[in-house]
Amino acid sequence: MLSPHEKLICLLIDEIYVNPGLNYKGGKLLGKAENANQQANTIQAFMIASLFSKYKEIVALVPMKNQTADDLYCQTLKVLQMLNDCKYNVLCLISDNNRINRNMFTQMCQGNLVNSISNPVQHENKLFFLFDTVHLIKSVRNNWFNEKTLGQVLCFPSPDNSSKIYLTKLQDLKDIYETEKSNLIKKAPKLSQKVLYPTSFEKQNVLLALNIFQESNSAALAHEAGEKGKDTMGTKEFIDQFLKWWNIVNVKYSEKGKRLKNPFCDPIRSKDQMSMVFLNKFYDWLVS
């Protein structure tokens, strides 16, 4: 039996693509979509994770056909009601930033996406909406890698001065990799063929994405600028911003900041904390 505080949970939402097909099992015909009289081509999965224990559980697997935001909205409400009936307290919904998921969140917010609403099945409690940070960091990497300009260049305003424009060039990292790949000692050891030239399948690997946003890469770019006079500081600044953000959102235990001697790895306990100051500034930078 779970204690009351262990029943404070997050509800994770994900869609899994499957090959359509029907199976007869246990006296039931499986494979038909819930939202259409057709074979399902996706499974909408709902999983819960306790905030104060290691408890995790898949609570629903719903076969769907060409799911829409309305379909997902209805299924999510059903799952929320089921969890409420089981005495769980759902604090937040977590999904990737897929269009259907975003539209479903917006629908739950009555057409205007906000960070929280009154829980539809527990009106006295709030329900928060979160986008999966792992998916977000992979999306940043993918958008950069999919850039078609020469050198795969992105333009962005300086975090400290919006009138100043930086250029972040993927070619800067590729040049460092090509220079060092045969060396025993490297300034950017996290860079590799798979990191810089991932296949479609390898792009699903979050570790390969995180190897772009590394302190060693930032230091190598600073060395290129300082010692060789190359224009790599824009790329360094871009990596630094997302590295700080990732350090903040990827805190899994309370002593991480002390162990790594990195204040951005400390759990957020105050709105005046360095991490919160950065996040507010980071938000302003993203919308600028």
Side-chain angles (χ1 to χ4, degrees):
M1 291 290 291
L2 295 176
S3 60
H5 76 276
E6 289 177 318
K7 288 191 173 184
L8 186 63
I9 59 172
C10 298
L11 177 60
L12 290 78
I13 301 171
D14 199 10
E15 188 177 32
I16 306 166
Y17 285 86
V18 296
N19 290 325
L22 295 175
N23 290 296
Y24 185 76
K25 187 175 182 180
K28 295 182 179 180
L29 191 63
L30 305 178
K32 179 179 174 296
E34 288 287 327
N35 62 335
N37 190 26
Q38 301 180 54
Q39 296 178 25
N41 61 354
T42 63
I43 299 293
Q44 183 59 52
F46 295 87
M47 187 179 84
I48 59 174
S50 172
L51 270 69
F52 295 105
S53 74
K54 296 182 179 180
Y55 174 72
K56 294 181 180 180
E57 190 71 65
I58 294 174
V59 294
L61 295 172
V62 186
M64 305 294 283
K65 175 69 175 181
N66 299 334
Q67 179 176 238
T68 65
D70 289 336
D71 295 327
L72 181 57
Y73 175 74
C74 293
Q75 293 299 327
T76 302
L77 288 181
K78 289 180 181 179
V79 172
L80 286 173
Q81 185 61 59
M82 176 190 68
L83 292 171
N84 184 58
D85 294 342
C86 295
K87 307 303 181 184
Y88 287 102
N89 184 1
V90 180
L91 179 66
C92 64
L93 297 181
I94 302 177
S95 77
D96 61 36
N97 62 344
N98 176 280
R99 177 180 55 83
I100 291 176
N101 296 334
R102 292 199 310 271
N103 290 344
M104 186 273 288
F105 280 179
T106 302
Q107 191 169 343
M108 294 193 78
C109 298
Q110 306 298 317
N112 181 28
L113 184 60
V114 292
N115 60 10
S116 67
I117 61 170
S118 175
N119 192 317
V121 298
Q122 293 178 337
H123 299 294
E124 68 279 9
N125 295 329
K126 280 190 173 184
L127 180 66
F128 291 86
F129 301 105
L130 301 176
F131 290 114
D132 176 25
T133 53
V134 169
H135 184 84
L136 292 177
I137 198 72
K138 288 194 294 185
S139 294
V140 172
R141 187 276 313 270
N142 291 343
N143 287 336
W144 191 9
F145 278 40
N146 291 336
E147 182 60 45
K148 301 302 182 184
T149 55
L150 182 64
Q152 293 170 284
V153 179
L154 293 177
C155 302
F156 65 95
S158 166
D160 301 312
N161 181 2
S162 60
S163 62
K164 183 178 180 180
I165 302 300
Y166 279 129
L167 300 179
T168 178
K169 296 167 285 187
L170 187 60
Q171 191 62 47
D172 290 340
L173 295 178
K174 291 181 177 180
D175 288 344
I176 292 173
Y177 168 68
E178 292 297 332
T179 301
E180 296 187 338
K181 65 181 180 181
S182 58
N183 296 352
L184 288 176
I185 299 176
K186 303 176 182 180
K187 300 184 188 71
K190 296 292 186 179
L191 297 180
S192 67
Q193 182 77 17
K194 288 185 177 182
V195 169
L196 293 170
Y197 305 94
T199 63
S200 296
F201 181 75
E202 288 168 346
K203 285 183 178 180
Q204 304 302 314
N205 188 331
V206 66
L207 293 179
L208 295 181
L210 292 176
N211 281 345
I212 290 291
F213 304 97
Q214 290 286 333
E215 289 184 18
S216 56
N217 296 343
S218 177
L221 290 164
H223 179 268
E224 291 291 300
E227 298 295 323
K228 301 181 181 180
K230 293 186 177 180
D231 183 19
T232 58
M233 293 307 292
T235 309
K236 177 186 183 303
E237 184 65 37
F238 185 78
I239 288 175
D240 285 346
Q241 290 299 307
F242 283 98
L243 177 59
K244 289 177 183 177
W245 171 79
W246 179 255
N247 285 335
I248 293 170
V249 301
N250 193 44
V251 177
K252 296 181 179 179
Y253 58 96
S254 60
E255 300 299 315
K256 184 177 181 180
K258 292 181 181 179
R259 185 177 69 83
L260 298 179
K261 297 182 180 179
N262 184 345
F264 290 107
C265 293
D266 287 329
I268 295 176
R269 297 186 173 95
S270 166
K271 65 180 181 180
D272 299 321
Q273 194 171 326
M274 183 185 297
S275 296
M276 280 302 299
V277 173
F278 171 80
L279 287 176
N280 287 324
K281 186 177 178 181
F282 187 71
Y283 170 79
D284 293 336
W285 176 62
L286 290 177
V287 299
S288 63

